[in-house]
Amino acid sequence: MGDRKPYPSDVTDAQWALIGPFLRAWKAKRVSVSGHQGDYDLREIVNAILYQNRTGCQWAYLPHDLPPKSATYYYFALWRDDGTDQAIHDLLRCQAREKAGRTEDPTAVVLDSQSVRAANHVPAATTGKDAGKKVSGRKRALAVDTLGLVIAVVVTAASVTDNAIGIRLLDTVVERAPTVTRAWVDAGFKQDLALHGSVLGVDVEVVKRSDTRPGFVPVRKRWIVEQTYGTLMLHRRLVREYESRPESAVSRTLWASMVTIVRRLTGTSTPSWRHR
């Protein structure tokens, strides 16, 4: 960080000790022909990505004491396209599960989707309208384990049905964690998902809300993924859909999830933006 004052979203030394080795190994494999190592420290690049995720600022509004848009976006897009962000996220998730006394890969997941309004610059070709929720934008679907850790992310137009997005999500789950044999979903996911799950060897169970208890009632199993959504929404870049490409929206979700995971691994927390 040099001499600049740290931002609340900066990774701590303990957190960087978890992320840094992966990025140093990645950089060691990408040696420039000229031997040029780059003008910016990778830790500062990560800090810039996390700052933007947490505050929701535009690229051009990154603080001057962080790497500029040109450098930050270069690495963000590079790690998105070559799968580095996904690889780091999954390895950290395995560490978090082991620390909690679980096996590296889960056997059960909880699926859910949320509709997010899109900003006016997001291409119409990648957005749509959720007729049920009256939201124009995209759907962000998550599969999380019983600890609330993200296993898979799928981002589509909001017009895509929960059933179709659930099938894509379940395919991704089986690819990322072939040990999964059970999935809990809400009533928005129809019988086609259960049939697709049986083909993949995953038992899909619909967990319905109670109609007999008034007011807000946390639903067993499903509440786990709702908690994860609530945590991710602390990152203002995810509150509205700002990304031109759905792949970038997936990457944003992975970076936000990584923050939660390294907090668990190091026993730290990100200071709240709210004044006490």
Side-chain angles (χ1 to χ4, degrees):
M1 290 188 299
D3 296 328
R4 74 169 177 83
K5 291 183 62 177
Y7 293 104
S9 56
D10 285 350
V11 291
T12 65
D13 291 341
Q15 292 169 352
W16 179 245
L18 295 170
I19 300 174
F22 298 119
L23 292 180
R24 286 193 291 269
W26 170 85
K27 191 171 185 178
K29 296 178 181 179
R30 297 180 59 89
V31 179
S32 171
V33 176
S34 64
H36 183 60
Q37 294 297 312
D39 296 327
Y40 299 98
D41 180 60
L42 292 182
R43 179 171 178 174
E44 283 293 80
I45 295 294
V46 170
N47 284 335
I49 293 173
L50 298 185
Y51 178 93
Q52 191 181 37
N53 249 22
R54 185 74 181 189
T55 65
C57 75
Q58 299 175 30
W59 283 106
Y61 286 81
L62 283 172
H64 294 301
D65 52 2
L66 288 174
K69 168 189 174 181
S70 57
T72 304
Y73 182 78
Y74 170 80
Y75 283 102
F76 171 80
L78 195 58
W79 293 335
R80 174 199 66 199
D81 295 341
D82 69 5
T84 296
D85 52 4
Q86 182 76 63
I88 295 175
H89 175 274
D90 291 350
L91 289 168
L92 290 173
R93 186 194 70 229
C94 290
Q95 292 181 31
R97 286 184 56 82
E98 286 184 330
K99 184 178 180 181
R102 307 295 182 89
T103 57
E104 285 190 1
D105 293 317
T107 58
V109 293
V110 190
L111 276 58
D112 198 12
S113 67
Q114 68 173 174
S115 296
V116 184
R117 295 188 184 278
N120 56 7
H121 68 274
V122 177
T126 62
T127 61
K129 185 172 183 177
D130 183 336
K133 298 178 181 177
K134 305 295 189 294
V135 173
S136 296
R138 289 186 180 140
K139 275 186 181 176
R140 181 186 300 126
L142 296 181
V144 305
D145 64 11
T146 54
L147 297 176
L149 301 176
V150 174
I151 305 298
V153 186
V154 171
V155 176
T156 68
S159 53
V160 177
T161 64
D162 279 352
N163 215 39
I165 200 172
I167 289 173
R168 286 184 54 184
L169 191 58
L170 205 56
D171 286 337
T172 307
V173 166
V174 173
E175 178 186 351
R176 301 285 181 202
T179 53
V180 170
T181 59
R182 193 172 187 82
W184 290 287
V185 300
D186 64 22
F189 296 90
K190 306 304 181 183
Q191 186 64 22
D192 286 350
L193 180 60
L195 294 174
H196 187 70
S198 64
V199 173
L200 298 175
V202 179
D203 180 23
V204 178
E205 178 184 346
V206 177
V207 182
K208 297 183 179 180
R209 293 186 182 276
S210 172
D211 295 329
T212 60
R213 298 175 62 184
F216 172 74
V217 180
V219 182
R220 180 175 171 269
K221 301 299 183 183
R222 277 173 45 193
W223 180 240
I224 299 171
V225 69
E226 298 294 346
Q227 283 182 309
T228 301
Y229 274 122
T231 303
L232 293 177
M233 287 300 100
L234 294 174
H235 299 262
R236 295 184 179 181
R237 189 79 181 189
L238 300 182
V239 173
R240 186 177 287 269
E241 188 56 75
Y242 293 109
E243 308 303 327
S244 297
R245 296 174 54 181
E247 297 86 351
S248 294
V250 171
S251 183
R252 289 286 180 189
T253 306
L254 292 175
W255 280 108
S257 177
M258 271 189 262
V259 170
T260 300
I261 294 173
V262 295
R263 286 208 316 261
R264 292 193 184 192
L265 288 170
T266 59
T268 56
S269 62
T270 302
S272 172
W273 289 99
R274 297 174 180 172
H275 295 295
R276 294 185 179 180

